[in-house]
Amino acid sequence: MNNNKNLIKELCLLTLLFLFVVPTIGQAQTASSILDKAAATYDRSGGITASFTSVTSRTSSSSVVDRTKGQIDMKGSKFVLKSSSLVIWYNGQTQWSYVAQNQEVNVSEPSGDELQMTNPTLLIRSYKTDFTAKLLGDVTASNGKTAYNILLVPRKRGQIQKVELQIEKYSSLPVSATIVSKNDMTTVINISHLRTGANQPDSFFVFNKKEYPKAEIIDLR
């Protein structure tokens, strides 16, 4: 179960990437102005769907701990993360986490420190006060496009030590992130096949019991 919890946190960091990165890009090409432009681009996107790959390794040894492929859908503060072993729905208030191995759905309403790991909206509201952003320069992203490389460092101690975000210059949307945690873990997330204008209905971001009739519902609220 601990591995599943870690996977949930790592996948939710992907949502952090989209909804936190997007609101923090550019002014005369500063980190803040780039992130502001990304935020505006996300707000105009009409819903986003994208594929992702996530590789988690030990920072000290580079040994791979987990590899994950999946899809992320987002609209406003809502999101759905899907992989072969896990699905997470978040409708802006309630979160449902389905673990395929156990056929369990954990229902929660994240608050406080939990939101730092599982609720991107908290980071959207607080990134200007909770993080410092620095533009490191231009890089060639995993998709072969030129991107801005931005370093984010939390102002207060927490699980995240630093994040390097790559924002594609042409689209002003994130293409990858490297998240270094204080538990000797580094997660590299790459985004591909990103499509805007998905316009998902609100019901898309809510767990539907009919689609998982055998799942055990565990209400943690």
Side-chain angles (χ1 to χ4, degrees):
M1 180 59 70
N2 287 335
N3 289 337
N4 288 330
K5 289 181 179 179
N6 290 335
L7 181 57
I8 289 173
K9 290 181 179 180
E10 290 166 6
L11 290 177
C12 284
L13 285 173
L14 174 62
T15 315
L16 177 160
L17 159 67
F18 270 97
L19 296 180
F20 163 55
V21 170
V22 169
T24 46
I25 284 186
Q27 298 157 6
Q29 299 321 316
T30 65
S32 296
S33 63
I34 295 170
L35 293 169
D36 289 342
K37 184 177 180 181
T41 300
Y42 177 74
D43 288 342
R44 296 192 303 266
S45 68
I48 285 176
T49 182
S51 300
F52 72 88
T53 59
S54 173
V55 179
T56 299
S57 58
R58 297 196 179 279
T59 305
S60 57
S61 64
S62 299
S63 57
V64 174
V65 175
D66 180 74
R67 296 179 186 271
T68 302
K69 292 183 179 180
Q71 179 176 308
I72 180 170
D73 287 84
M74 295 182 301
K75 183 180 179 182
S77 63
K78 304 174 180 65
F79 68 87
V80 176
L81 285 166
K82 293 182 178 181
S83 72
S84 59
S85 60
L86 180 71
V87 185
I88 301 172
W89 299 261
Y90 181 71
N91 69 349
Q93 177 178 351
T94 303
Q95 178 174 291
W96 298 263
S97 301
Y98 172 71
V99 181
Q101 180 180 359
N102 303 327
Q103 294 195 57
E104 292 179 352
V105 178
N106 293 318
V107 186
S108 62
E109 293 182 356
S111 60
D113 292 342
E114 292 177 344
L115 290 173
Q116 290 284 351
M117 296 300 298
T118 61
N119 188 345
T121 59
L122 179 64
L123 291 169
I124 294 174
R125 296 171 187 145
S126 64
Y127 76 86
K128 288 184 178 179
T129 57
D130 290 352
F131 290 81
T132 59
K134 179 181 179 181
L135 179 60
L136 300 180
D138 295 352
V139 294
T140 301
S142 56
N143 63 359
K145 304 290 183 65
T146 302
Y148 297 108
N149 197 28
I150 297 175
L151 174 65
L152 299 170
V153 179
R155 297 180 186 273
K156 298 180 180 180
R157 291 183 179 180
Q159 183 170 348
I160 299 174
Q161 184 174 1
K162 66 178 181 178
V163 179
E164 280 194 30
L165 303 172
Q166 294 183 359
I167 308 297
E168 187 182 305
K169 282 189 172 184
Y170 176 76
S171 68
S172 292
L173 289 170
V175 289
S176 72
T178 299
I179 302 155
V180 180
S181 301
K182 292 183 178 179
N183 59 354
D184 193 35
M185 293 295 174
T186 295
T187 299
V188 179
I189 301 165
N190 290 313
I191 309 300
S192 61
H193 304 101
L194 186 150
R195 179 173 64 87
T196 60
N199 194 30
Q200 307 95 328
D202 289 346
S203 59
F204 180 83
F205 303 96
V206 176
F207 170 73
N208 186 347
K209 172 64 175 176
K210 293 181 180 179
E211 295 180 4
Y212 299 85
K214 296 182 179 180
E216 178 185 359
I217 309 299
I218 302 174
D219 197 331
L220 304 176
R221 292 173 292 182

